[in-house]
Amino acid sequence: MTRLTGRALRLTVFVGENDTWHHKPLYSEIVHRAHEAGLAGASVFRGVEGFGASSLIHTSRLLSLSEDLPVAVVIVDTEPRVRAFLPQLDELVTEGLVTLDDCEVIRYTSREDTPGETDAKSKRSL
């Protein structure tokens, strides 16, 4: 597992929910490539309303416009690792927005890393 604390870079990719890469959702392809690249993590967030360069408003409130809601893929890792991943996005993202922000990682742990979690699980199974 990747250890990550301190200064980091947050990569956010804004695309449409219906954007695809070889017949599969684009956001899913980005997450899988980030995983294959060994990045610390990636999450996909579905928007309820938004517009982009096309100036068309997409919203979940109206059925006729809800078919292509905005999606944000957020990836956080060290600056060198995120920047090394950017060429893959050049290939994948033909429409959308890609941003980078400096951030600070305060805590990055999994359930397996949580102190006492293993002990609590063992006590419950007894």
Side-chain angles (χ1 to χ4, degrees), residues 27-28 31 42-46 71-74:
Y27 60 84
S28 181
V31 168
S43 297
V44 178
F45 300 94
R46 184 178 189 224
V71 173
V73 181
V74 179

Side-chain angles (χ1 to χ4, degrees), residues 49-59 65 68 70:
E49 188 167 23
F51 72 93
S54 71
S55 293
L56 293 173
I57 293 180
H58 301 275
T59 178
L65 297 176
D68 193 23

Side-chain angles (χ1 to χ4, degrees), residues 2-121:
T2 303
R3 300 281 179 200
L4 183 64
T5 56
R7 292 183 51 83
L9 205 56
R10 178 179 47 226
L11 166 65
T12 307
V13 182
F14 298 93
V15 294
E17 184 176 38
N18 288 341
D19 292 346
T20 60
W21 177 259
H22 297 285
H23 308 292
K24 94 183 224 193
L26 177 59
Y27 60 84
S28 181
E29 181 67 17
I30 293 169
V31 168
H32 283 87
R33 287 198 187 193
H35 185 258
E36 288 169 6
L39 294 173
S43 297
V44 178
F45 300 94
R46 184 178 189 224
V48 295
E49 188 167 23
F51 72 93
S54 71
S55 293
L56 293 173
I57 293 180
H58 301 275
T59 178
S60 61
R61 292 181 293 146
L62 302 171
L63 290 177
S64 63
L65 297 176
S66 64
E67 62 257 358
D68 193 23
L69 293 171
V71 173
V73 181
V74 179
I75 298 168
V76 176
D77 207 323
T78 63
E79 183 171 353
R81 293 171 65 83
V82 169
R83 290 198 180 276
F85 185 68
L86 291 178
Q88 292 203 48
L89 293 179
D90 287 339
E91 175 187 3
L92 295 172
V93 181
T94 57
E95 293 179 24
L97 175 66
V98 178
T99 65
L100 292 173
D101 301 290
D102 290 320
C103 64
E104 182 178 357
V105 175
I106 304 300
R107 184 172 182 195
Y108 176 68
T109 60
S110 69
R111 286 186 180 102
E112 291 81 27
D113 294 338
T114 306
E117 183 72 23
T118 307
D119 297 338
K121 284 181 185 174

